[in-house]
Amino acid sequence: MASYLLRRLLLIIPTLFGIMLISFLVVQFAPGGPVERVIAQLSGMDVSATARISGGGGDFASGAEPGSSSAGSGDVASKYRGAQGLDPEFIKELEAQFGFDKPPVERFGLMLWNYLRFDFGQSYFRDIGVLELIGEKLPVSISLGLWMTLISYGISIPLGISKAVRDGSRFDIWTSAVVIVGYAIPGFLFAVLLIVLFAGGSFWDWFPLRGLLSEGVSGATCAPWNGAFDLKRCVTVVIPDYFWHLTLPIIAMSLSAFATTTLLTKNSFLEEIRKQYVMTARMKGLTDRQVLYGHVFRNAMLIIIAGFPGAFISAFFTGALLIETIFSLDGLGLLGFESIINRDYAVVFATLYIFSLVGLVVNLITDVTYMWVDPRIDFESREV
């Protein structure tokens, strides 16, 4: 077991390096860049997100790298679209500010060295550190991911077991129809429907349209380490208001996850129920309940329980861009999208590095969970 864990931990290093290298190379050929964006803003030519994505060329229209000997001071501005007429010294200052005065290889190596020390620097276009920026957005993503995962698992597992036990019954048929319809409807479309029905005023104005808390309600009253901590106000005002705001987004996000987990649970239990050891247990005189929860449950739940750490952690970081946009929730999904569109490479690469590292570690935790759920699994004989 120890040797397997060591191999997996060592494998994280080249995997993470490959992810960052490929992403870095892709960015070199992506249209636009932070320098070009600043020039467009100064020139009054800053275009929409879609136009910027579809535009041609990159930061280096002439193909010469910033800081290379082939790029003379006279044609510095010509390397960027819209830079004609600007002072070449000003362009050089912009390149130095964003680190483009160095060759790509040096920039990539410096980035990796800083990331190994968890030094992610400052956002290009926000006066804030990258880690601090992620920390500001994380509560929204945690709120969405945490409750979506708990609710979907809390409903899907009992429902999936009931469907497996009553396979082919009317209950199984009509619940399957509901699950399939729920899976087929995109979450963002269902979110729009919920807003029209319950938050837009067209029918019932029961829920708020934006944010995690109402105006004037501060979450600081629920933080014991904060000087403004007020337990009574936290329980009677903040927490109810928090769940009031989260109701519609969580329902919209949980729809597809709920359907997937339900069908996975049902199929897993059906597969185990039909095995020989179940028939043997019944022949010994055990009741259906004893067979189901004493024998079938552990084997059937292996794939579901083992996958819980990954689903639980990744839900914090995957974000839901459309859901966050529709309900005006400023989380990690929206941050990632805006950072890519605005060419804020400091945030893009930092979030990619953090999320990739967390994902690789969680995959390892998932494998260990398999062993915890079923000790018969032997990691020592498994090839990485």
Side-chain angles (χ1 to χ4, degrees):
M1 180 64 182
S3 61
Y4 173 79
L5 290 177
L6 180 60
R7 292 199 307 271
R8 286 292 301 272
L9 289 172
L10 292 176
L11 188 61
I12 289 177
I13 299 175
T15 304
L16 199 58
F17 176 83
I19 292 173
M20 299 304 297
L21 177 60
I22 294 174
S23 303
F24 186 83
L25 292 176
V26 169
V27 164
Q28 301 310 303
F29 298 99
V35 176
E36 212 168 32
R37 181 171 183 268
V38 172
I39 293 173
Q41 289 177 331
L42 294 175
S43 305
M45 300 170 58
D46 198 15
V47 295
S48 65
T50 52
R52 200 157 53 237
I53 292 175
S54 60
D59 280 329
F60 315 113
S62 67
E65 297 292 348
S68 64
S69 59
S70 61
S73 60
D75 62 352
V76 171
S78 66
K79 292 184 296 183
Y80 302 97
R81 292 175 298 177
Q84 290 78 9
L86 294 178
D87 185 0
E89 293 300 323
F90 173 72
I91 301 298
K92 287 184 177 181
E93 290 178 4
L94 284 180
E95 290 178 341
Q97 177 183 344
F98 296 120
F100 285 95
D101 57 330
K102 301 179 180 66
V105 175
E106 183 179 348
R107 282 190 281 124
F108 180 69
L110 183 61
M111 181 184 70
L112 289 184
W113 170 246
N114 289 333
Y115 285 5
L116 287 174
R117 298 179 291 123
F118 288 91
D119 178 11
F120 300 104
Q122 296 282 120
S123 169
Y124 284 171
F125 302 107
R126 310 177 194 224
D127 188 20
I128 186 175
V130 174
L131 283 181
E132 186 179 352
L133 181 61
I134 293 176
E136 287 183 358
K137 311 298 182 182
L138 195 57
V140 173
S141 296
I142 288 179
S143 297
L144 293 174
L146 174 64
W147 296 115
M148 181 198 73
T149 304
L150 295 181
I151 290 175
S152 63
Y153 269 75
I155 296 176
S156 301
I157 292 176
L159 179 59
I161 295 174
S162 299
K163 286 173 63 60
V165 173
R166 306 177 194 178
D167 184 41
S169 66
R170 287 185 177 181
F171 172 81
D172 179 43
I173 293 173
W174 75 260
T175 52
S176 294
V178 172
V179 168
I180 292 173
V181 170
Y183 184 75
I185 299 177
F188 73 89
L189 186 61
F190 192 64
V192 173
L193 176 63
L194 291 176
I195 288 179
V196 172
L197 291 177
F198 302 110
S202 300
F203 292 90
W204 303 280
D205 193 9
W206 292 351
F207 296 96
L209 278 172
R210 62 182 65 247
L212 283 181
L213 294 172
S214 300
E215 187 176 352
V217 178
S218 174
T221 56
C222 288
W225 58 86
N226 195 294
F229 176 68
D230 186 340
L231 180 59
K232 182 178 179 181
R233 179 174 173 79
C234 175
V235 174
T236 59
V237 177
V238 178
I239 293 180
D241 186 73
Y242 167 77
F243 283 108
W244 183 47
H245 281 74
L246 275 181
T247 300
L248 296 186
I250 292 301
I251 292 175
M253 286 187 64
S254 301
L255 200 61
S256 60
F258 156 79
T260 303
T261 310
T262 299
L263 294 177
L264 179 63
T265 303
K266 177 192 173 181
N267 294 334
S268 181
F269 270 80
L270 277 179
E271 183 180 354
E272 292 297 324
I273 287 174
R274 295 165 180 166
K275 289 185 177 179
Q276 186 67 38
Y277 74 89
V278 175
M279 298 177 59
T280 304
R282 285 173 177 165
M283 292 175 61
K284 290 181 178 179
L286 298 179
T287 64
D288 289 342
R289 187 177 183 85
Q290 288 175 324
V291 173
L292 181 64
Y293 293 101
H295 296 271
V296 175
F297 186 83
R298 186 180 72 174
N299 295 326
M301 288 297 292
L302 174 62
I303 188 173
I304 300 168
I305 295 176
F308 182 78
F312 187 73
I313 298 298
S314 64
F316 296 165
F317 300 104
T318 54
L321 171 61
L322 294 176
I323 299 297
E324 290 179 4
T325 303
I326 291 171
F327 291 100
S328 299
L329 298 171
D330 194 8
L332 292 176
L334 193 57
L335 171 65
F337 175 75
E338 291 178 345
S339 300
I340 293 172
I341 294 301
N342 294 329
R343 299 299 187 263
D344 195 345
Y345 294 156
V347 177
V348 171
F349 284 118
T351 52
L352 176 65
Y353 178 85
I354 294 172
F355 299 164
S356 299
L357 180 60
V358 170
L360 292 170
V361 172
V362 168
N363 285 338
L364 179 58
I365 294 175
T366 300
D367 281 351
V368 175
T369 307
Y370 272 109
M371 188 200 68
W372 175 71
V373 174
D374 189 350
R376 294 172 298 176
I377 295 178
D378 183 14
F379 282 104
E380 292 294 339
S381 59
R382 175 180 172 181
E383 294 294 333
V384 177

